[in-house]
Amino acid sequence: MQLTFDILRGVHIFGGFLALAVFWIPIVTKKGGRAHNRAGRMYVVAMGGVSATAFLMGAYRLTWDAGPDADAIPFAWFLMFVSILSAATAWYGIRVLRHKRRTAPHRKPLDLLFPALLFASGVGISAYGWAIHFPLLQYFPILGLFLGGTQLLYWLTVPAKKSHWAVEHIVGMLSCCISTITAFLVFGAPRLLGVDSVNLLVWFLPTIVFVPLIIGFANVYKRKFDDRRLKI
């Protein structure tokens, strides 16, 4: 089992660094352009691998070997939650593009499963965090509650504005960026810096930085597309 875990960790690290290397390209390049699309696809593929390996490594820590660290179990739950957050937001960011012309509620099971799982895991992990008094697990999963709830609402309602798909694509992909950088700060940065822990504020820094960025980009595309109400 240890060999399997080491392989998963190697794939996870490679995918994580690839995602960190390219995530900024779609943000700064022309939206819909060649560089934007290519880097975006590369980022989604990398995050797919990162999410899958993170979930499996977290499950391994919970069921086979938690290790000597007293916080290994809480961090394993956090790793699994981040894997769900990353997968759900990346999937959502891609799928809203595939269905940008929809004029009715969208009820495809897989598109509803991811946000439902994200919402449920947010509830469960946050409750667990409060039970063990672990601040990272108390507050960070609230992001999953919000995103999972808003994704479900988006799919199950009729789009009211022309900008709906562009705004939701931005929300999905930049939310995935939050999970990418947060996971690096929680797991990667302490090891690279040779420290035992990082200030809690640093862990929440990606959320603090990216939420205004999401709002800013969303407002730009609302102004660009919503010169009139979408006619259904």
Side-chain angles (χ1 to χ4, degrees), residues 175-193:
S175 297
C176 190
C177 291
I178 291 176
S179 66
T180 303
I181 301 174
T182 301
F184 173 74
L185 291 176
V186 172
F187 295 104
R191 290 173 174 80
L192 290 176
L193 297 175

Side-chain angles (χ1 to χ4, degrees), residues 2-121:
Q2 183 60 45
L3 176 61
T4 301
F5 182 85
D6 290 341
I7 293 172
L8 289 173
R9 181 168 55 189
V11 174
H12 181 81
I13 292 172
F14 175 78
F17 275 106
L18 178 60
L20 286 170
V22 303
F23 84 92
W24 59 272
I25 298 176
I27 297 175
V28 302
T29 55
K30 180 182 178 181
K31 306 303 176 279
R34 188 175 182 181
H36 177 94
N37 293 339
R38 284 189 172 182
R41 284 193 291 268
M42 188 180 299
Y43 176 74
V44 169
V45 170
M47 286 308 299
V50 168
S51 299
T53 52
F55 189 88
L56 292 173
M57 288 192 298
Y60 172 85
R61 287 302 187 196
L62 291 174
T63 57
W64 290 89
D65 179 21
D69 189 350
D71 290 333
I73 295 298
F75 277 115
W77 282 115
F78 179 76
L79 184 63
M80 294 180 73
F81 173 73
V82 170
S83 74
I84 295 171
L85 175 63
S86 301
T89 50
W91 178 260
Y92 181 72
I94 294 300
R95 294 295 288 174
V96 295
L97 296 180
R98 297 288 179 88
H99 298 281
K100 66 181 182 180
R101 303 188 192 281
R102 71 182 181 93
T103 57
H106 179 83
R107 295 189 175 90
K108 289 195 175 182
L110 194 57
D111 291 332
L112 298 180
L113 174 63
F114 273 108
L117 183 60
L118 179 57
F119 185 88
S121 63

Side-chain angles (χ1 to χ4, degrees), residues 113-191:
L113 174 63
F114 273 108
L117 183 60
L118 179 57
F119 185 88
S121 63
V123 172
I125 298 299
S126 183
Y128 172 66
W130 283 100
I132 65 171
H133 307 289
F134 201 84
L136 181 63
L137 297 185
Q138 289 173 334
Y139 298 108
F140 189 77
I142 294 174
L143 181 63
L145 291 175
F146 175 76
L147 292 173
T150 55
Q151 288 178 15
L152 284 172
L153 181 64
Y154 173 75
W155 286 130
L156 295 174
T157 56
V158 176
K161 295 184 177 182
K162 292 166 59 177
S163 64
H164 69 93
W165 61 273
V167 170
E168 296 305 317
H169 175 67
I170 290 166
V171 172
M173 299 313 297
L174 290 185
S175 297
C176 190
C177 291
I178 291 176
S179 66
T180 303
I181 301 174
T182 301
F184 173 74
L185 291 176
V186 172
F187 295 104
R191 290 173 174 80

